[in-house]
Amino acid sequence: VINGTIETLEDGAIDDLPGRGQLLISMAAETKRLIRLVNDLLVLTRADAGTLNLKLENVNVGELVKSRCEKLTTLAQPRNVAISVDAWNQVSIQGDVDRLTQILDNLLENAIRHAPAGSTIRVVVQIEGHEMRCAVIDQGAGIPAQHLPLIFDRFYRVEPSRNRQSGGAGLGLAIVQSLVNAHGGRIAAESLEGQGTTMTFWIPIDGKSHSFA
């Protein structure tokens, strides 16, 4: 797309003041998409190599979840989707704020994308044994059973027909899993067709991670 846009500009469109604006906007959007893809691949490569260094600090997960849900409400409102949070105020772990934010944003954006209009996404945060448990629950169409074991695979998309605008590159859940694993945690998905999907991850409260400092 970027190459085609450049060729169009070189062929004379650059002198078309009204028309070139849209071409430049398109090229900028594709450039940002490419940068995101490269950054996603970089995260996965570092995770594979054990060099995804985490900046561990005390993080109140309940407050972080509430903050991210409030931020992403603007994405949910146009679809008339509500987000409710059930979070214990004292759920704190040793974690990397930026990476935890990336985990939450990926899961919430996925839930919003698949939530039917007028539905509610629930986010539950609690202590479960020696772990923090966070679940993102939507009321979407659900994931067919044959796809469920594969959704954390890189580049895997449940709906192959999705284009870049609606479905991304199929790296979101792979990144989430890598970041959760780097915190010494685990993630699982439960889903029934027509009854929605629950994405749950657990992270140890003590901050023992698999990253290398």
Side-chain angles (χ1 to χ4, degrees):
V1 173
I2 294 172
N3 189 59
T5 303
I6 291 173
E7 289 179 353
T8 301
L9 290 169
E10 289 176 338
D11 287 342
I14 196 168
D15 297 320
D16 178 9
L17 295 182
R20 74 182 183 189
Q22 188 57 46
L23 290 172
L24 292 173
I25 291 172
S26 173
M27 188 159 59
E30 292 300 323
T31 301
K32 290 177 181 177
R33 193 187 311 280
L34 184 59
I35 290 171
R36 286 196 299 271
L37 178 59
V38 171
N39 286 334
D40 287 348
L41 290 170
L42 183 59
V43 168
L44 291 171
T45 301
R46 286 176 173 170
D48 288 345
T51 58
L52 187 62
N53 299 327
L54 301 182
K55 299 177 182 178
L56 297 180
E57 59 183 288
N58 191 55
V59 180
N60 186 316
V61 181
E63 290 183 358
L64 180 61
V65 166
K66 291 174 182 176
S67 171
R68 298 321 300 168
C69 287
E70 183 178 347
K71 181 77 173 178
L72 290 175
T73 294
T74 55
L75 185 63
Q77 284 178 338
R79 303 194 58 195
N80 194 27
V81 171
I83 304 176
S84 71
V85 180
D86 179 7
W88 294 7
N89 291 329
Q90 300 304 318
V91 180
S92 295
I93 65 171
Q94 288 294 304
D96 185 311
V97 173
D98 290 337
R99 296 309 189 185
L100 291 171
T101 297
Q102 196 172 0
I103 291 169
L104 292 168
D105 285 0
N106 266 316
L107 293 180
L108 286 168
E109 287 172 7
N110 266 354
I112 292 169
R113 186 181 301 121
H114 298 295
S119 67
T120 298
I121 295 168
R122 293 178 54 231
V123 185
V124 180
V125 182
Q126 58 190 177
I127 296 294
E128 194 173 87
H130 297 289
E131 297 175 306
M132 179 281 304
R133 173 183 179 272
C134 179
V136 179
I137 307 159
D138 68 54
Q139 299 173 311
I143 301 170
Q146 68 269 26
H147 293 288
L148 203 54
L150 304 172
I151 61 172
F152 294 106
D153 291 354
R154 298 172 191 186
F155 301 107
Y156 188 83
R157 290 182 292 184
V158 175
E159 301 171 31
S161 61
R162 284 187 199 161
N163 58 28
R164 289 170 305 185
Q165 284 71 31
S166 63
L171 290 174
L173 289 179
I175 288 172
V176 167
Q177 184 180 56
S178 292
L179 295 179
V180 170
N181 289 345
H183 280 84
R186 55 199 169 91
I187 187 169
E190 297 178 70
S191 187
L192 289 174
E193 287 190 76
Q195 298 184 36
T197 300
T198 299
M199 303 294 300
T200 307
F201 67 93
W202 297 261
I203 291 178
I205 297 171
D206 60 13
K208 293 179 180 177
S209 73
H210 297 319
S211 62
F212 293 83

